[in-house]
Amino acid sequence: LKSKHKMLKSKRQMSESKHQMLKSKHQILKSEHQILKSKHQLNRLKRQMLKSKHKMLKSKRQMQSESKHQMLKSKHQILKSKYQILKSKHKMLKSKCQMSESKHQMLKSKHQILKSKDLNLKLKQQLNRLKRQMLKSTHQMSE
């Protein structure tokens, strides 16, 4: 009876030990599960962070690209304006040049007219001289 009691006691202790071991195992598994859950959550957070970082970089790039485009547009506008100004200046200079040529032509014409008048005057004077000489000659002949 005593031996039976000892055996039962030992069995019970063994069973309790087993139970304790299973409890520990369960606790370990629970802890591992918790660790995995935490890792999973950490990965999710990392992924979200990378996503938002990517979005931020994308928007930054887009913004830079837009501002660059705007700057190029402005530069183009400035160059266009400068070109228009140069074009206008060129037209103005061309007009001035044409006007100078016209003035020169006019002065040449005036000079030609004056030369003609001068020649005309000389011819008239010569004609008058000849007329006087002729009158003198006729007057002398008639005497």
Side-chain angles (χ1 to χ4, degrees):
L1 200 81
K2 214 175 187 184
S3 126
K4 204 177 184 181
H5 179 67
K6 255 187 178 179
M7 194 185 75
L8 281 174
K9 195 177 179 185
S10 138
K11 236 183 178 178
R12 192 169 29 85
Q13 279 178 337
M14 202 173 73
S15 167
E16 279 176 13
S17 284
K18 212 177 185 179
H19 182 258
Q20 203 56 44
M21 190 185 74
L22 284 173
K23 235 176 152 180
S24 292
K25 248 186 179 177
H26 182 258
Q27 200 55 45
I28 290 171
L29 285 175
K30 245 174 131 178
S31 295
E32 283 177 348
H33 182 260
Q34 200 56 46
I35 289 171
L36 282 175
K37 260 173 104 175
S38 295
K39 275 186 178 176
H40 180 64
Q41 195 173 8
L42 182 71
N43 282 338
R44 197 178 311 120
L45 287 172
K46 278 183 182 176
R47 218 176 18 258
Q48 280 180 336
M49 190 185 76
L50 283 173
K51 257 186 180 176
S52 60
K53 202 174 184 180
H54 176 69
K55 268 187 182 177
M56 187 189 75
L57 286 173
K58 196 176 173 184
S59 68
K60 189 179 178 185
R61 222 180 9 254
Q62 194 177 0
M63 212 168 70
Q64 283 175 337
S65 160
E66 283 173 7
S67 69
K68 201 174 188 180
H69 180 257
Q70 207 52 47
M71 186 187 75
L72 286 174
K73 231 175 153 180
S74 298
K75 274 187 176 178
H76 180 257
Q77 206 52 49
I78 289 170
L79 288 174
K80 223 173 157 182
S81 299
K82 281 184 176 179
Y83 173 72
Q84 288 301 332
I85 289 171
L86 287 174
K87 218 172 155 181
S88 297
K89 277 186 177 179
H90 180 258
K91 269 188 176 177
M92 186 188 74
L93 287 173
K94 207 173 169 184
S95 295
K96 275 187 174 180
C97 183
Q98 283 177 337
M99 196 176 75
S100 291
E101 279 181 30
S102 295
K103 271 187 177 178
H104 180 256
Q105 215 50 48
M106 188 186 74
L107 286 173
K108 257 172 102 175
S109 296
K110 273 187 175 178
H111 182 255
Q112 206 56 47
I113 290 172
L114 287 174
K115 262 172 92 176
S116 298
K117 280 185 175 178
D118 189 47
L119 185 66
N120 198 14
L121 191 76
K122 281 181 182 171
L123 286 173
K124 277 185 179 177
Q125 286 175 342
Q126 207 174 6
L127 182 70
N128 282 338
R129 225 178 288 123
L130 282 173
K131 277 184 181 177
R132 270 198 311 278
Q133 277 180 348
M134 224 173 79
L135 276 173
K136 228 181 192 183
S137 293
T138 38
H139 183 68
Q140 280 178 353
M141 272 173 77
S142 69
E143 277 180 10

